[in-house]
Coordinates of all heavy atoms in Angstrom, one line a residue:
C22 N 251.8 23.6 -77.3 CA 250.5 23.6 -78.0 C 250.2 22.2 -78.4 O 249.0 21.8 -78.3 CB 250.7 24.6 -79.2 SG 249.1 24.8 -80.1
A23 N 251.1 21.5 -79.0 CA 250.8 20.1 -79.5 C 250.4 19.2 -78.3 O 249.5 18.4 -78.4 CB 252.1 19.5 -80.2
E24 N 251.1 19.4 -77.2 CA 250.8 18.6 -76.0 C 249.4 18.9 -75.5 O 248.6 18.0 -75.1 CB 251.8 18.9 -74.9 CG 251.5 18.2 -73.5 CD 251.5 16.7 -73.6 OE1 252.1 16.1 -74.5 OE2 250.9 16.0 -72.7
L25 N 249.0 20.2 -75.4 CA 247.7 20.6 -74.9 C 246.6 20.1 -75.8 O 245.5 19.8 -75.4 CB 247.6 22.1 -74.6 CG 248.5 22.6 -73.4 CD1 248.5 24.1 -73.3 CD2 247.9 22.0 -72.1
R26 N 246.8 20.1 -77.1 CA 245.9 19.6 -78.1 C 245.6 18.1 -77.8 O 244.5 17.7 -77.9 CB 246.3 19.9 -79.4 CG 246.1 21.3 -79.9 CD 246.4 21.6 -81.3 NE 246.1 23.0 -81.6 CZ 246.7 23.7 -82.5 NH1 247.8 23.3 -83.2 NH2 246.3 25.0 -82.7
D27 N 246.6 17.4 -77.4 CA 246.5 16.0 -77.1 C 245.7 15.8 -75.8 O 244.7 15.0 -75.7 CB 247.8 15.3 -76.9 CG 248.5 15.0 -78.3 OD1 247.8 15.1 -79.3 OD2 249.7 14.7 -78.2
V28 N 246.0 16.7 -74.8 CA 245.3 16.6 -73.5 C 243.8 16.9 -73.6 O 243.0 16.2 -73.0 CB 246.0 17.6 -72.5 CG1 245.2 17.8 -71.3 CG2 247.4 17.2 -72.1
F29 N 243.5 17.9 -74.4 CA 242.1 18.3 -74.5 C 241.4 17.8 -75.7 O 240.3 18.2 -76.0 CB 242.0 19.8 -74.5 CG 242.4 20.4 -73.2 CD1 243.6 21.3 -73.1 CD2 241.8 20.2 -72.0 CE1 244.0 21.8 -71.9 CE2 242.1 20.7 -70.8 CZ 243.3 21.5 -70.8
D30 N 242.0 16.8 -76.4 CA 241.4 16.3 -77.6 C 240.0 15.7 -77.4 O 239.1 15.9 -78.3 CB 242.3 15.1 -78.2 CG 241.8 14.6 -79.5 OD1 241.5 15.4 -80.4 OD2 241.8 13.4 -79.7
E31 N 239.7 15.1 -76.3 CA 238.4 14.5 -76.0 C 237.5 15.4 -75.2 O 236.4 15.1 -74.9 CB 238.6 13.2 -75.2 CG 239.4 12.1 -76.0 CD 238.7 11.6 -77.3 OE1 237.5 11.5 -77.2 OE2 239.4 11.4 -78.3
E32 N 238.1 16.6 -74.8 CA 237.3 17.5 -73.9 C 236.4 18.4 -74.8 O 236.9 19.3 -75.5 CB 238.2 18.3 -73.1 CG 237.6 19.3 -72.2 CD 237.3 18.8 -70.8 OE1 238.0 17.9 -70.4 OE2 236.3 19.1 -70.3
S33 N 235.1 18.2 -74.8 CA 234.2 19.0 -75.5 C 234.2 20.5 -74.9 O 234.0 20.7 -73.7 CB 232.8 18.4 -75.5 OG 231.8 19.2 -76.1
G34 N 234.2 21.4 -75.8 CA 234.2 22.8 -75.5 C 235.5 23.5 -75.1 O 235.5 24.7 -74.8
V35 N 236.6 22.8 -75.2 CA 237.9 23.3 -75.0 C 238.6 23.4 -76.3 O 238.6 22.4 -77.1 CB 238.7 22.5 -74.0 CG1 240.1 23.1 -73.8 CG2 238.1 22.4 -72.6
A36 N 239.1 24.6 -76.6 CA 239.9 24.8 -77.9 C 241.3 25.4 -77.6 O 241.4 26.3 -76.8 CB 239.1 25.8 -78.8
V37 N 242.3 24.8 -78.2 CA 243.7 25.3 -78.0 C 244.0 26.1 -79.3 O 243.9 25.5 -80.4 CB 244.6 24.1 -77.8 CG1 246.1 24.6 -77.7 CG2 244.3 23.3 -76.6
E38 N 244.4 27.3 -79.1 CA 244.7 28.2 -80.2 C 246.1 28.6 -80.2 O 246.6 29.2 -79.2 CB 243.8 29.5 -80.1 CG 244.1 30.5 -81.2 CD 243.3 31.8 -81.0 OE1 242.7 32.0 -80.0 OE2 243.5 32.7 -81.9
H39 N 246.9 28.3 -81.2 CA 248.3 28.7 -81.3 C 248.3 30.1 -81.9 O 247.7 30.3 -83.0 CB 249.0 27.7 -82.2 CG 250.5 27.8 -82.1 ND1 251.2 28.9 -82.4 CD2 251.5 26.9 -81.8 CE1 252.4 28.7 -82.2 NE2 252.7 27.5 -81.9
R40 N 248.9 31.0 -81.2 CA 249.0 32.4 -81.7 C 250.4 32.9 -82.0 O 250.6 34.1 -82.0 CB 248.4 33.3 -80.6 CG 246.9 33.1 -80.2 CD 246.5 34.0 -79.1 NE 245.1 34.0 -79.0 CZ 244.4 34.6 -78.0 NH1 245.1 35.3 -77.1 NH2 243.2 34.5 -77.9
G41 N 251.2 31.9 -82.3 CA 252.6 32.3 -82.7 C 253.5 32.3 -81.5 O 254.0 31.3 -81.0
Q42 N 253.7 33.5 -80.8 CA 254.5 33.6 -79.6 C 253.8 33.2 -78.4 O 254.4 32.9 -77.3 CB 255.0 35.0 -79.4 CG 256.0 35.4 -80.6 CD 257.2 34.6 -80.7 OE1 257.5 34.1 -81.7 NE2 257.9 34.4 -79.6
T43 N 252.5 33.0 -78.5 CA 251.6 32.7 -77.3 C 250.6 31.6 -77.7 O 250.5 31.2 -78.9 CB 250.9 33.9 -76.8 OG1 249.9 34.3 -77.7 CG2 251.8 35.1 -76.4
L44 N 249.9 31.1 -76.7 CA 248.8 30.2 -77.0 C 247.6 30.5 -76.1 O 247.9 31.0 -74.9 CB 249.1 28.8 -77.1 CG 249.6 28.1 -75.8 CD1 248.4 27.4 -75.1 CD2 250.6 26.9 -76.2
A45 N 246.5 30.2 -76.4 CA 245.3 30.4 -75.6 C 244.5 29.0 -75.5 O 244.4 28.3 -76.5 CB 244.4 31.5 -76.1
V46 N 244.0 28.8 -74.3 CA 243.1 27.6 -74.1 C 241.8 28.2 -73.8 O 241.6 28.7 -72.6 CB 243.7 26.6 -73.1 CG1 242.7 25.4 -72.9 CG2 245.1 26.1 -73.5
H47 N 240.9 28.1 -74.7 CA 239.5 28.6 -74.6 C 238.6 27.6 -73.8 O 238.6 26.5 -74.3 CB 238.9 29.0 -75.9 CG 239.8 30.0 -76.6 ND1 239.8 31.3 -76.3 CD2 240.6 29.8 -77.6 CE1 240.6 32.0 -77.2 NE2 241.2 31.0 -78.0
H48 N 238.0 28.0 -72.8 CA 237.0 27.1 -72.1 C 235.7 27.7 -71.8 O 234.9 27.3 -70.9 CB 237.6 26.6 -70.8 CG 238.0 27.6 -69.8 ND1 237.2 28.4 -69.1 CD2 239.2 28.0 -69.4 CE1 237.8 29.2 -68.3 NE2 239.1 29.0 -68.4
R49 N 235.3 28.7 -72.7 CA 234.0 29.4 -72.5 C 232.8 28.4 -72.6 O 231.7 28.7 -72.1 CB 233.8 30.5 -73.6 CG 234.5 31.7 -73.3 CD 234.2 32.8 -74.3 NE 234.8 34.1 -73.9 CZ 235.9 34.6 -74.6 NH1 236.4 33.8 -75.5 NH2 236.4 35.6 -74.1

Side-chain angles (χ1 to χ4, degrees):
C22 188
E24 175 64 23
L25 289 173
R26 284 183 174 150
D27 287 345
V28 167
F29 294 116
D30 185 47
E31 301 292 322
E32 181 88 35
S33 178
V35 176
V37 178
E38 177 187 6
H39 195 303
R40 295 179 169 174
Q42 294 301 125
T43 66
L44 66 89
V46 179
H47 303 281
H48 58 69
R49 282 187 176 101

